[in-house]
């Protein structure tokens, strides 16, 4: 019997897949637990429409990520910090501070978990790598200046 999985089923497949299973397994396990629905023409058409909508949504989000990546390559986030002798900062500039300043200066809300950088401990200009999803990365310039 052909069924369309509604949830991931171990050993059978992922959500949204059309799989062939034995009649008894489908009738006695998958269908009563709403893990799958019978593969009728209506259900197959619905599945295809959902897949198409999902692909379009992913393409749209990827295009937005690429556009944001291009815009972020031109941004320079300025972060004022206090320092002691020798130009060493009191504490360090972390990805949380960079994220907060990016939102304050440019209106881009990027979580700190998407940024890859070691804590910055001295003045200067640094490049921080940001993962925007869909295998799109951006290089963000961070300028740490004296307060």
């Amino acid at each position: 019997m052909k069924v369309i999985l509604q949830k991931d089923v171990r050993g059978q497949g992922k959500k949204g897949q059309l799989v062939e299973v034995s009649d008894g397994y489908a009738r006695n396990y998958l269908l009563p637990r709403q893990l799958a629905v019978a593969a009728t023409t209506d259900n197959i058409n619905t599945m295809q429409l959902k897949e198409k909508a999902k692909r379009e949504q992913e393409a749209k989000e990827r295009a937005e990520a690429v556009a944001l990546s291009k815009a972020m390559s031109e941004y320079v986030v300025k972060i004022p910090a206090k320092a002691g002798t020798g130009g060493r900062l009191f504490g360090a500039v972390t990805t949380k501070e960079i994220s907060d300043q990016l939102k304050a200066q440019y209106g881009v809300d990027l979580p700190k978990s998407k940024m890859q950088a070691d804590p910055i401990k001295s003045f200067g200009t640094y490049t921080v790598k940001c993962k925007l999803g869909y295998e799109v990365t951006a290089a963000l310039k961070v300028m740490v200046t004296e307060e």
Side-chain angles (χ1 to χ4, degrees):
M1 172 183 250
K2 288 188 177 187
V3 294
I4 300 170
L5 298 177
Q6 299 291 77
K7 297 181 182 174
D8 292 352
V9 178
R10 189 172 185 172
Q12 296 300 322
K14 300 271 186 197
K15 178 181 177 178
Q17 278 186 322
L18 179 68
V19 294
E20 179 78 33
V21 295
S22 67
D23 290 349
Y25 183 61
R27 279 195 309 269
N28 296 322
Y29 184 77
L30 295 176
L31 297 176
R33 289 175 173 77
Q34 279 101 31
L35 297 175
V37 293
T40 62
T41 55
D42 289 342
N43 289 341
I44 291 173
N45 288 338
T46 303
M47 177 189 72
Q48 290 172 345
L49 288 173
K50 285 182 182 178
E51 285 179 6
K52 183 180 177 186
K54 183 179 177 184
R55 283 193 304 269
E56 289 173 355
Q57 179 69 22
E58 286 176 354
K60 179 183 172 194
E61 289 174 357
R62 181 174 175 73
E64 289 174 356
V66 168
L68 181 60
S69 172
K70 288 179 182 175
M72 284 180 64
S73 66
E74 299 173 7
Y75 294 165
V76 177
V77 178
K78 295 178 181 151
I79 300 177
K82 291 183 181 179
T85 59
R88 300 226 359 121
L89 300 180
F90 293 132
V93 176
T94 62
T95 54
K96 172 142 179 49
E97 292 175 63
I98 296 169
S99 176
D100 293 343
Q101 288 296 326
L102 180 64
K103 185 171 184 175
Q105 293 174 18
Y106 296 103
V108 177
D109 189 17
L110 189 66
K112 68 178 185 168
S113 59
K114 301 274 185 178
M115 296 182 185
Q116 296 177 325
D118 294 328
I120 299 170
K121 297 185 178 189
S122 61
F123 294 123
T125 303
Y126 299 89
T127 302
V128 175
K129 199 176 215 181
C130 302
K131 291 185 177 181
L132 303 177
Y134 300 99
E135 299 176 5
V136 177
T137 58
L140 178 67
K141 289 187 179 168
V142 178
M143 183 183 295
V144 180
T145 59
E146 193 167 354
E147 206 172 63

